[in-house]
Amino acid sequence: MSFPPTLPAFTRSLRTFQDQLLTSERESFSLTTYDDLKISIETIQKEQRGRRCVRNLNTIKPFLVTLQQYTHVIEQFVNAKAEFLAFIWGPIKLCLQIASRLVDAFDLLLDAYARIGESLPVIAGVDSLFSLQSNDPVQGILTSTYDDILKFHTRAVAFFRQKVWTIAFKTTFRSFDSMYGDIVKNLQRTKELLIQSASIRHFQEAQAARTHDAEAFEAQRRKEEHERKSFVINWLSHVPCRSRHQELQNERKLYPGSTRWLFDTTQTSEWFRGSERSSQILWINGIPGAGKTFLFSSVIDEIIETLPNAQVIYFYCRYNEPRKTNLNDVLRSLIAQVLVLNPACLQYLYDNMIENIQHDPSSTNELCLELLENLVSQHDQLFIGVDGLDECGEPERQQILPMIHRLAQSTETLKNVRIFLTSRKEKDIDISFRSTHRLEIRPYHVGKVIEDYVRVRVRSLNEKFSIPENLRKHIITDIATRSHGMFLLARLILDNLLDQDCYADLEEELNDKLLPNGIDQAYARILDRMRKKNQPKRRWLRAKAGLDILTMATRQLKAHELQGALSIHLEDRSIDFEKRKSVGGLEELLGPIVELHSDGSVNFIHPTARDFRPHLDDAEIKDNVLRGDYAFQEYSVLNWIHHARDFLSQNSMPNVINTKGLHDSISILYEHHLRQFQMASNTSITIACNEKIAALAALQKANSSVEDIRTNKADQ
């Protein structure tokens, strides 16, 4: 029997449900029958008996019986089309199969089905009502019930589809009403209407209540989710890494294929395959400027492009930026990225953070590590990357390295997590990763790639200066050879060449004696060029001041902050941002040694640039001595320690300066002179060392007193 007015309602509910499914889910559900569901339940029971964790599946029998009665009736309304019934049995089968992997989740799902079964309208005994074509309210009850069953499974299937559903389950499922309470209310209301053989007025009132409840439920859910997300994001206060990665992506687009060699190496390919005996960690190391960060960014994109079922989280460390070199910020950033990839983690994170809200965010390393450890363990395939480990100080690395090994060990059985890292070959890092996949970047790895890079940059050089072909070939070969496997050196040389004003200057720079053979020489040439270019002298002093400020800054500066610093005139103590702002911008003023990022920050192009100090040869040192430049050196070397001790003894000291750096320096000097004392071969050296050790000990004592005063004042 056909009821055209009713069929569109069933179709509308079904299409809405199908739109929320994956293609694979739609295909699977469309073929499922009630008999398939029964076979699946029997299979689950057998598996549970084998694991000795049999659950009481009898609790859902009333649900299935009532549902079966219901499906017999709706067959009349859909002309016995199996598709409409299959999308009832298919989701039940899938949810039971997935939930059976976790006993607690399976029990709660059974309880959910039992509660829905109790709320379903009882069809037996009133099925004659459905044979009345004119009874629109009763037919409406039938379609409403179908719609509610599909709505339940829309949420259930979406929940179990999540990669971290076992984490989300612990919090999201703790209250059934918060997940499905509105659906149960609708079913109970429908049941009452059916028992009363409802009138049109009753049905219309019930439909209005259904709509109101659904809207109220959704509004409340969105509000609570927004509040939880805001709290979690604020608590994490994480360092975003996406903008840095996008910058590197844009750079690599200019040189396609420049990193492909990495994925052809044995170490990388074995790590990617992830066999049972393979280490979970890949460590890529190399000399400064070898292109490690470039390679790191390419690993991220390779994972995304070639492993569609995998997820990747990462962190870019940055030298001398406190928030990019410590364990706490690394953990917070990685957790935030997991949350973005898997929003189902929100409730889990929120609950744990609420429980630990009394903790100081700066001292929550263990909490953050536990959160990350639990989150990553729930993934089928997750990659974690940390770039520039060597840019973190050794004390910070002593915390970060154990964290990496702990994450690897906690997932060693499942092998679901793989970790990739880059750094220089520092001794502590080398020892820590001696049993992992190790790839050291050698000149033969990148020689051809550097040559291709130079060739692309020389095209720009040719566009500016119209260089003869034979000279272009010579430049390409010469720079590629000089680079010795360092992309950075090739970049610095080419940046300096492109910065020349005329062909004559270019020819001078191409002189074999002037072209740099190392990074320090390259920085020296750039600074020399800046000194000559930034004339009059006032402009050079502004450029030098900008570089000095960047060198001494304890965190990454924004471009407007640096511009603000340069707008200060110390002589008359005035500030005029608009008039003293560099018209050509900081890039023009500070040259190729500095780069501006898309987030508005400004930094040296490489940590080696910050550490660079102009080298003086013996002749220059001799000239400086004869000129009297070092006249104060003898006094300062012999007496600085006494001035420092007097300075530390001043009561005003705690309010003026943070003495941690001084304390560390004193400790280093103390150990140095102690070794000298132990190795001393004559009495005069012994006496001198003994005096220095005594002075340093006194200085340490004074410094400790200052720190005690500072601590007491902070407590007060």
Side-chain angles (χ1 to χ4, degrees):
M1 184 182 294
S2 174
F3 294 90
T6 311
L7 182 56
F10 278 104
T11 304
R12 187 167 55 252
S13 296
L14 180 59
R15 295 296 176 260
T16 301
F17 178 55
Q18 289 174 329
D19 288 344
Q20 308 299 315
L21 301 174
L22 302 177
T23 302
S24 58
E25 291 166 346
R26 284 197 297 270
E27 293 174 352
S28 174
F29 294 168
S30 66
L31 302 173
T32 307
T33 64
Y34 180 64
D35 290 336
D36 293 331
L37 175 59
K38 288 196 297 184
I39 292 171
S40 178
I41 291 173
E42 291 172 3
T43 302
I44 291 171
Q45 287 181 315
K46 287 179 182 178
E47 291 175 351
Q48 289 179 341
R49 280 194 289 270
R51 301 199 305 265
R52 296 182 179 180
C53 60
V54 178
R55 318 316 293 167
N56 184 16
L57 279 162
N58 288 327
T59 57
I60 64 168
K61 278 189 177 179
F63 165 69
L64 296 177
V65 169
T66 305
L67 209 53
Q68 194 176 21
Q69 294 171 358
Y70 173 76
T71 58
H72 286 324
V73 175
I74 68 169
E75 281 183 312
Q76 301 176 54
F77 291 88
V78 296
N79 293 329
K81 289 184 178 179
E83 179 186 30
F84 288 88
L85 307 183
F87 280 88
I88 291 177
W89 307 125
I92 297 174
K93 175 184 173 184
L94 176 70
C95 290
L96 288 173
Q97 286 175 335
I98 296 176
S100 66
R101 302 172 192 170
L102 192 65
V103 171
D104 290 343
F106 193 67
D107 286 344
L108 282 172
L109 182 63
L110 294 180
D111 181 61
Y113 280 136
R115 289 189 60 182
I116 291 173
E118 293 170 0
S119 305
L120 278 172
V122 180
I123 307 300
V126 294
D127 54 341
S128 60
L129 292 170
F130 298 106
S131 63
L132 301 175
Q133 184 172 354
S134 61
N135 198 333
D136 290 339
V138 176
Q139 293 174 23
I141 289 171
L142 198 63
T143 55
S144 295
T145 303
Y146 186 72
D147 188 58
D148 285 332
I149 293 169
L150 295 187
K151 279 182 179 177
F152 171 83
H153 282 116
T154 297
R155 298 178 194 173
V157 170
F159 176 81
F160 286 116
R161 184 193 298 142
Q162 297 168 131
K163 293 180 182 294
V164 291
W165 73 265
T166 52
I167 282 285
F169 151 77
K170 296 177 182 178
T171 51
T172 310
F173 257 85
R174 72 187 186 281
S175 171
F176 179 89
D177 288 336
S178 66
M179 286 284 286
Y180 310 111
D182 62 321
I183 293 174
V184 171
K185 281 183 181 179
N186 288 338
L187 288 170
Q188 288 172 342
R189 188 180 292 114
T190 303
K191 183 178 183 178
E192 292 170 3
L193 287 172
L194 186 60
I195 292 172
Q196 297 168 3
S197 298
S199 67
I200 292 177
R201 182 176 62 81
H202 288 141
F203 180 70
Q204 289 173 339
E205 289 174 353
Q207 285 295 88
R210 284 167 57 86
T211 302
H212 176 269
D213 288 349
E215 291 175 351
F217 176 84
E218 184 61 21
Q220 183 64 24
R221 185 193 66 78
R222 288 178 180 173
K223 179 185 175 184
E224 291 178 357
E225 184 174 317
H226 175 74
E227 290 173 351
R228 289 192 294 266
K229 189 171 184 179
S230 297
F231 176 84
V232 169
I233 294 299
N234 289 335
W235 191 93
L236 287 172
S237 300
H238 67 287
V239 176
C241 292
R242 181 63 187 161
S243 60
R244 174 59 175 151
H245 183 63
Q246 287 175 331
E247 287 179 357
L248 291 163
Q249 282 179 318
N250 293 334
E251 281 189 59
R252 285 192 287 109
K253 286 177 183 176
L254 301 174
Y255 312 103
S258 60
T259 61
R260 285 312 311 170
W261 67 268
L262 173 66
F263 305 102
D264 295 330
T265 62
T266 303
Q267 298 93 323
T268 306
S269 57
E270 285 184 357
W271 174 76
F272 252 103
R273 285 198 300 270
S275 61
E276 287 188 10
R277 295 184 179 182
S278 173
S279 171
Q280 293 167 260
I281 299 175
L282 171 66
W283 175 40
I284 302 171
N285 61 87
I287 58 177
K292 298 183 290 295
T293 299
F294 217 58
L295 292 172
F296 179 86
S297 70
S298 72
V299 173
I300 295 171
D301 288 344
E302 184 73 9
I303 294 167
I304 294 171
E305 292 168 9
T306 63
L307 300 172
N309 295 323
Q311 294 183 327
V312 57
I313 56 179
Y314 52 87
F315 191 86
Y316 288 95
C317 300
R318 187 80 183 191
Y319 172 73
N320 210 37
E321 291 182 32
R323 295 210 63 198
K324 293 185 180 180
T325 55
N326 72 84
L327 173 64
N328 199 264
D329 282 300
V330 173
L331 291 171
R332 287 168 184 268
S333 179
L334 295 177
I335 291 171
Q337 291 175 65
V338 172
L339 176 59
V340 171
L341 294 171
N342 305 283
C345 300
L346 177 63
Q347 187 68 53
Y348 168 75
L349 292 172
Y350 177 78
D351 286 350
N352 277 274
M353 291 169 185
I354 286 292
E355 288 177 10
N356 294 275
I357 197 169
Q358 70 276 14
H359 291 294
D360 178 2
S362 64
S363 60
T364 54
N365 287 356
E366 185 58 33
L367 170 62
C368 288
L369 183 51
E370 286 180 7
L371 291 175
L372 183 61
E373 198 171 10
N374 288 333
L375 290 174
V376 302
S377 66
Q378 304 303 318
H379 287 72
D380 293 329
Q381 194 173 25
L382 179 70
F383 289 81
I384 303 173
V386 180
D387 172 64
L389 278 173
D390 57 294
E391 298 193 30
C392 305
E394 194 166 344
E396 286 78 19
R397 294 203 299 267
Q398 288 175 1
Q399 292 183 312
I400 295 174
L401 294 175
M403 175 272 288
I404 292 168
H405 287 291
R406 178 169 162 178
L407 288 177
Q409 289 167 4
S410 66
T411 57
E412 189 173 12
T413 303
L414 296 174
K415 293 285 186 182
N416 62 321
V417 172
R418 274 171 269 174
I419 302 169
F420 58 105
L421 315 152
T422 65
S423 75
R424 301 185 199 180
K425 201 172 183 179
E426 301 289 354
K427 184 178 180 180
D428 58 328
I429 303 175
D430 189 19
I431 293 172
S432 184
F433 298 135
R434 58 190 168 194
S435 300
T436 66
H437 290 296
R438 300 156 57 100
L439 175 63
E440 183 173 359
I441 305 170
R442 300 281 190 178
Y444 64 81
H445 285 133
V446 294
K448 177 65 168 61
V449 179
I450 289 178
E451 186 176 327
D452 292 339
Y453 166 79
V454 174
R455 185 174 288 106
V456 172
R457 296 290 306 274
V458 168
R459 289 175 193 161
S460 301
L461 198 65
N462 183 52
E463 289 174 4
K464 183 174 182 178
F465 294 108
S466 299
I467 305 169
E469 183 178 357
N470 62 334
L471 181 55
R472 292 202 303 271
K473 290 180 179 179
H474 172 74
I475 294 172
I476 293 169
T477 303
D478 193 6
I479 296 177
T481 303
R482 288 174 185 271
S483 298
H484 301 296
M486 288 183 285
F487 274 96
L488 178 62
L489 179 55
R491 174 183 174 177
L492 293 172
I493 294 174
L494 287 159
D495 283 348
N496 186 46
L497 294 178
L498 280 162
D499 199 39
Q500 302 307 307
D501 289 327
C502 62
Y503 196 89
D505 289 349
L506 176 66
E507 281 188 321
E508 182 181 346
E509 288 296 318
L510 287 172
N511 186 306
D512 187 62
K513 293 181 179 179
L514 294 180
L515 272 179
N517 287 306
I519 288 178
D520 280 355
Q521 289 183 16
Y523 286 138
R525 290 301 304 160
I526 290 174
L527 289 176
D528 184 59
R529 170 66 184 159
M530 288 175 62
R531 189 180 297 110
K532 293 176 180 177
K533 181 180 179 181
N534 287 315
Q535 295 298 330
K537 187 178 180 181
R538 187 188 311 115
R539 179 178 168 86
W540 163 241
L541 290 177
R542 279 176 57 78
K544 186 175 180 299
L547 296 176
D548 288 343
I549 292 169
L550 282 179
T551 301
M552 300 305 296
T554 57
R555 67 161 174 82
Q556 190 174 48
L557 296 176
K558 298 290 186 179
H560 71 272
E561 291 178 314
L562 185 54
Q563 289 275 24
L566 294 175
S567 70
I568 299 171
H569 194 260
L570 294 176
E571 292 182 8
D572 61 7
R573 298 185 179 183
S574 64
I575 302 174
D576 193 329
F577 187 86
E578 289 303 320
K579 290 184 178 180
R580 290 177 182 147
K581 183 171 131 181
S582 297
V583 178
L586 291 175
E587 285 181 300
E588 181 180 322
L589 177 68
L590 304 180
I593 203 169
V594 163
E595 60 185 359
L596 270 69
H597 301 287
S598 57
D599 63 355
S601 61
V602 56
N603 213 329
F604 289 105
I605 60 172
H606 195 268
T608 53
R610 181 191 291 270
D611 296 336
F612 170 70
R613 298 291 181 272
H615 174 72
L616 299 177
D617 58 30
D618 292 341
E620 289 177 299
I621 294 174
K622 183 178 179 180
D623 289 341
N624 291 344
V625 170
L626 294 175
R627 195 167 56 242
D629 289 356
Y630 306 137
F632 193 62
Q633 181 179 6
E634 181 181 357
Y635 176 85
S636 61
V637 168
L638 294 174
N639 294 285
W640 73 268
I641 194 168
H642 306 299
H643 287 282
R645 184 173 57 193
D646 292 340
F647 187 49
L648 281 169
S649 66
Q650 300 298 314
N651 291 333
S652 60
M653 178 62 181
N655 300 319
V656 175
I657 190 171
N658 186 332
T659 57
K660 183 182 182 303
L662 182 58
H663 173 77
D664 294 342
S665 300
I666 293 169
S667 299
I668 293 170
L669 279 170
Y670 187 91
E671 293 174 4
H672 170 72
H673 290 307
L674 186 61
R675 284 194 299 270
Q676 279 193 331
F677 176 78
Q678 293 168 343
M679 298 170 59
S681 57
N682 60 60
T683 305
S684 60
I685 295 178
T686 301
I687 294 172
C689 287
N690 196 34
E691 289 176 352
K692 291 176 182 177
I693 290 170
L696 285 166
L699 192 57
Q700 278 185 319
K701 184 177 180 180
N703 184 60
S704 298
S705 299
V706 167
E707 287 301 311
D708 290 341
I709 296 170
R710 186 193 305 280
T711 303
N712 292 334
K713 285 194 173 184
D715 292 340
Q716 293 171 2

